[in-house]
Amino acid sequence: MADSSFDIVSKIDRQEADNALNQARKEVEQRYDFKGTGASIEWSGEAILIKANSEDRAKAVLDVFQSKLIKRGISLKSLESGEAVVSGKEYRLTSTLKEGISQENAKKIGKLIRDEGPKSVKSQIQGDELRVQSKSRDDLQEVQRLLKAADLDVDLQFVNYR
């Protein structure tokens, strides 16, 4: 019998992220507490640029955006936000959406699978994803349960289950 396998990836649905950003923009434009504060949120290339007239307002806009991401099923582990920076009379906060598993996180996940997972399971790093193989599908499901329970600082999805 051939080995069964699945891939561990960290991907974001760009359309859902765009929808969340548009919903956040509409809410910021309509909410009374943001009137006259110059608060806005928009794409700036691959990054998300938040502007407001105070640091608290910029963080409030980020909070609105985070709530929209959660409603759209995107994990906040994928969102990386910097500190608010003063630029003239406005505060700017830049955030990015992380995709892919870094080499460092891939090594941590591989070590976790080797140390705590079933012995028949093998994992290998392939670019920004991991392939996990075993003869037993039950062992692969055990690895998935193990990784879901582990507190990793990256959002994981399991795809390509064969």
Side-chain angles (χ1 to χ4, degrees):
M1 184 173 132
D3 283 2
S4 299
S5 68
F6 68 88
D7 293 336
I8 303 171
V9 297
S10 178
K11 296 207 183 306
I12 297 168
D13 185 350
R14 298 298 282 183
Q15 186 61 51
E16 289 295 335
D18 195 40
N19 291 343
L21 187 117
N22 289 331
Q23 285 180 336
R25 180 185 311 124
K26 283 182 184 175
E27 184 172 324
V28 166
E29 289 170 357
Q30 292 174 348
R31 269 181 40 180
Y32 178 75
D33 57 334
F34 287 120
K35 293 279 188 240
T37 61
S40 68
I41 181 169
E42 60 193 28
W43 287 108
S44 173
E46 288 293 308
I48 297 148
L49 184 63
I50 297 171
K51 299 178 193 171
N53 65 357
S54 74
E55 186 174 358
D56 293 337
R57 288 279 176 245
K59 288 186 177 175
V61 173
L62 178 64
D63 192 46
V64 169
F65 180 56
Q66 288 175 339
S67 70
K68 299 300 179 190
L69 283 175
I70 290 169
K71 284 182 183 174
R72 291 257 166 209
I74 297 175
S75 172
L76 292 183
K77 291 179 180 178
S78 307
L79 183 70
E80 200 169 80
S81 297
E83 287 297 313
V85 179
V86 180
S87 175
K89 291 184 177 179
E90 67 183 8
Y91 283 79
R92 292 174 177 232
L93 199 136
T94 307
S95 301
T96 55
L97 291 169
K98 295 186 293 186
E99 282 195 291
I101 301 173
S102 68
Q103 286 291 329
E104 176 184 319
N105 283 330
K107 287 178 183 175
K108 278 185 200 173
I109 294 167
K111 184 170 178 13
L112 184 70
I113 292 170
R114 271 195 316 275
D115 294 347
E116 299 181 30
K119 295 300 174 206
S120 67
V121 175
K122 296 186 272 309
S123 67
Q124 64 189 53
I125 300 170
Q126 297 178 333
D128 61 350
E129 57 186 51
L130 258 88
R131 163 111 356 123
V132 180
Q133 294 178 315
S134 176
K135 291 207 183 301
S136 164
R137 288 182 176 227
D138 292 339
D139 288 350
L140 292 179
Q141 290 173 341
E142 181 62 35
V143 168
Q144 287 182 354
R145 278 192 290 278
L146 173 75
L147 292 176
K148 284 178 184 173
D151 185 31
L152 300 167
D153 58 346
V154 67
D155 182 35
L156 299 178
Q157 293 93 30
F158 307 109
V159 296
N160 239 355
Y161 195 76
R162 295 185 207 133

